Amino acid sequence: MPCDDYRAIELLSRTPYGRVSASRRALPFTTVTRHLLLDGQLILRLHRGYDYHQALDGSVVAYEADNINTGESDTWSVQFTGTARVFHPTPAERALFGRTPRLADGAPFDPVFLRIEPEFVTMHYLTDTPVFPYAQTV
C-alpha cells in the first residue's frame, strides 16, 4: 500500500462520519454514513429504511470524509473508491460502531452494513485555510 494510502487511512480514522455516493437508475445520490476501517476495508453503517444499500450493493461507489467545519487551519479530504457489498458484521464488529442512532427521518434506525475494498484512494490537503462564517442568506 503506498504511503499516501496509509496517511489517508490515518486521516479517515479521525472522523466517524462521511458520505457515500453512487448512482441509482443513472441519477447520482449521496448519503451520510458512519464508517470504520477493518483489515484495510471500509465498513459503512447506514439506515436500511433509505433503501440505498440495494442500489449500492455491487456498485462502484465513492466514499468521502473530511475535517471541514472543525475549525482546524489545515483542511483535508479523503476519498475511497471501490465496489460496495452488503456485509454482515460479527457482534464484536457491530459493537465497534458504537451506539446506533435512535431515529432516521423520524423512523427507527435499522442498520445495514456495506463493505468497500478500496481500489483507489485520493487525498487532498489544504494548508492554512481561511475560516469563514457559515453561509448566510441575503
Side-chain angles (χ1 to χ4, degrees), residues 8 11-19 33 35 63-72 74-79 122-126:
L11 290 171
L12 193 62
S13 69
R14 294 183 185 183
T15 183
Y17 284 88
R19 291 155 291 284
T33 180
H35 67 261
Y63 186 78
E64 189 271 341
D66 56 54
N67 72 335
I68 296 170
N69 296 327
T70 63
E72 294 181 28
D74 294 344
T75 300
W76 56 264
S77 171
V78 172
Q79 181 173 301
T122 306
M123 180 178 63
H124 298 290
Y125 203 87
L126 302 173

